[in-house]
Amino acid sequence: MIEWNIQLRAHACQACTRPFSPKQTYHTLLFEENVGYARFDVCEACWTAQSSQGTFARPGFVSHWQGVFDLPQVPPDPIQRATAETLLRQLVELNDPKHGAACFILAVMLERKRLLKVREQTLRDGRRTFLYEHAQTGDLFAITDPALQLDQLEEVQRDVARLLEHGLNPPPTPTSASEPVAGAPPADPEGPQSNPRATAG
C-alpha cells in the first residue's frame, strides 16, 4: 500500500473534457483502488447529469466534495529555504518510508496554517489515512498516520527542522575535526579523548 501520494486537481472536467474556468464550481469524487485512492474531477453539469443516473455510485466510492476552481498561482522563487509545503511535496514525490513521520508532521503544520484541510479520514489495513486538500490549488494529499508515540515526537520534530533548514541535500558534515592539524602533535590513542566543543571553535 502506498503510504502517501498527491492527487493533482484536474484543469478540465474528466467526464466531458471541457476546461474549467476561473471561479467555476466543480465536484471531486474519490475512489478506492488496490494501491491507494484515485480522484475524479467533474463540472457541475456532468455531476448533475451522471449522479442522477447513478454513475458515481459504483463500488469503491469513498468521498465527494465540492470546490471552486482557481487558476494556479505563479510559483515562488525556488532559490529560498524550503517551506513546509514545498518540503512536503518533495517528500511525497520521493515516497520513501523513512520520511513518513515527517510528512505527517508537515501536513499537520499546514493544516494549522489553513493551507490544507481534511476532506476525509479512512481506515485501511488497520491504519488511518488523512485526505488533505490544498486550499488554493485543490491538490489532494493522502497521508498515512504513523501513530507516533510521545517519546518519538521530539526526534521527528528535529528531523523536520533539519529538513526545513537544509532541504533534502544537506551540506556535508565537516571532517576537519577528525583530520590532524598541521604542526600539531599526534593524538595519544591511550590518552583521554578531546572535548569536541574545544576543537570545534
Side-chain angles (χ1 to χ4, degrees):
M1 174 182 175
I2 296 177
E3 297 291 329
W4 54 86
N5 58 44
I6 300 177
Q7 297 275 334
L8 301 181
R9 181 183 60 187
H11 293 271
C13 175
Q14 292 177 274
C16 68
T17 70
R18 294 177 182 172
F20 292 130
S21 58
K23 305 303 179 182
Q24 179 180 352
T25 298
Y26 67 93
H27 293 260
T28 296
L29 298 98
L30 200 66
F31 296 94
E32 188 172 16
E33 297 186 337
N34 292 334
V35 294
Y37 302 95
R39 70 179 294 169
F40 195 68
D41 297 319
V42 297
C43 64
E44 181 70 37
C46 289
W47 163 255
T48 301
Q50 297 190 37
S51 61
S52 63
Q53 299 172 6
T55 307
F56 298 130
R58 68 190 189 193
F61 178 81
V62 175
S63 186
H64 156 258
W65 61 87
Q66 185 175 325
V68 176
F69 183 81
D70 286 318
L71 292 175
Q73 298 181 351
V74 177
D77 185 353
I79 306 177
Q80 61 179 357
R81 191 172 66 174
T83 64
E85 180 184 341
T86 58
L87 179 59
L88 177 60
R89 290 180 181 274
Q90 291 169 354
L91 294 180
V92 168
E93 289 178 1
L94 283 179
N95 198 24
D96 189 335
K98 72 179 182 181
H99 295 307
C103 285
F104 180 74
I105 294 296
L106 288 167
V108 172
M109 290 170 58
L110 293 170
E111 181 187 1
R112 291 176 178 174
K113 293 181 179 181
R114 298 184 179 179
L115 292 176
L116 295 181
K117 51 187 175 183
V118 177
R119 282 298 191 180
E120 189 73 36
Q121 295 183 41
T122 65
L123 190 64
R124 191 174 186 181
D125 298 329
R127 304 188 66 182
R128 184 171 57 167
T129 296
F130 291 91
L131 302 173
Y132 288 98
E133 186 182 38
H134 194 285
Q136 297 175 347
T137 66
D139 296 342
L140 190 68
F141 296 76
I143 307 292
T144 299
D145 185 352
L148 293 172
Q149 302 298 317
L150 289 177
D151 57 354
Q152 298 174 305
L153 283 176
E154 184 176 353
E155 180 180 354
V156 175
Q157 289 171 345
R158 285 198 303 265
D159 183 39
V160 169
R162 178 183 59 79
L163 289 168
L164 286 171
E165 180 69 26
H166 301 293
L168 296 176
N169 298 305
T173 304
T175 57
S176 58
S178 60
E179 297 176 353
V181 179
D188 182 3
E190 302 297 332
Q193 297 182 352
S194 60
N195 186 338
R197 289 187 178 180
T199 58

